[in-house]
């Protein structure tokens, strides 16, 4: 949405456009979602925090030391607050989708056990409802889970 607006008019205030999008997509939960996105942005923004997007480099992204347990917990709390005020199942599902990246990191870092297995099942269910079939390029969600939901291995 923001990119499309900027392509149409390069003078658009991107912060205003982002707020417009967040407000329209998340309704009453928008302030909590905005805080969540700011938390993630502020965590990974410093130039020394390198993030990678290729399959070969997927581990460094998800094992990034800057995405600490504290960041994950604070993000989870913000999204829980967002969900607590929502009545719309459609918007609740959108908030649930926001949880997937941090759930992915949490799953990869957790020791095996029932708590981890429950989170994997929640992750799988949300991803399937959203039509997500790949965890990385050429690596299916189902295969990742079958192989123990650890690193994406070719």
């Amino acid at each position: 949405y923001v990119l499309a607006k900027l392509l149409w008019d390069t003078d658009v205030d991107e912060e205003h456009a982002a707020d417009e999008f967040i407000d329209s997509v998340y309704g009453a939960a928008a302030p909590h979602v905005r805080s969540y996105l700011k938390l993630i942005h502020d965590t990974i923004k410093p130039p020394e925090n390198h993030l990678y997007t290729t399959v070969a480099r997927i581990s460094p992204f998800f094992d990034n030391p800057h995405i600490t347990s504290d960041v994950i917990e604070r993000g989870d709390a913000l999204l829980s607050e967002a969900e607590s005020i929502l009545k719309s199942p459609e918007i609740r599902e959108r908030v649930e989708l926001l949880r997937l990246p941090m759930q992915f990191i949490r799953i990869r870092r957790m020791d095996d056990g029932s708590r981890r297995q429950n989170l994997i099942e929640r992750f799988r269910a949300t991803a399937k409802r959203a039509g997500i079939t790949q965890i990385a390029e050429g690596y299916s969600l189902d295969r990742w889970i079958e192989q123990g939901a650890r690193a994406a291995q070719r």
Side-chain angles (χ1 to χ4, degrees), residues 81-149:
E81 289 175 36
E83 287 177 332
S84 74
I85 62 171
L86 291 172
K87 293 180 177 37
S88 164
E90 183 179 333
I91 297 177
R92 279 179 164 272
E93 186 66 18
R94 292 176 192 161
V95 172
E96 185 67 22
L97 282 171
L98 285 176
R99 291 182 186 276
L100 287 180
M102 293 303 156
Q103 285 178 346
F104 185 87
I105 294 168
R106 184 177 274 162
I107 288 166
R108 286 189 36 129
R109 292 178 180 175
M110 288 175 88
D111 292 331
D112 290 330
S114 62
R115 209 167 142 245
R116 182 174 187 271
Q117 193 56 45
N118 290 341
L119 187 56
I120 290 169
E121 289 309 315
R122 180 178 175 188
F123 182 93
R124 179 199 314 244
T126 302
K128 294 278 185 174
R129 286 193 309 273
I132 297 169
T133 60
Q134 301 290 304
I135 207 73
E137 185 178 345
Y139 197 75
S140 76
L141 172 66
D142 291 334
R143 182 171 159 218
W144 177 69
I145 291 172
E146 287 166 9
Q147 293 181 345

Side-chain angles (χ1 to χ4, degrees), residues 22-23 26-37 78 81-82 85:
I22 292 167
D23 290 341
Y26 296 101
H32 301 292
V33 169
R34 199 172 285 107
S35 294
Y36 170 78
L37 295 173
L78 287 166
E81 289 175 36
I85 62 171

Side-chain angles (χ1 to χ4, degrees), residues 56-72:
R57 301 302 299 265
I58 198 166
S59 272
F61 173 80
F62 292 109
D63 297 329
N64 188 308
H66 303 289
I67 302 173
T68 63
S69 295
D70 179 60
V71 169
I72 293 170

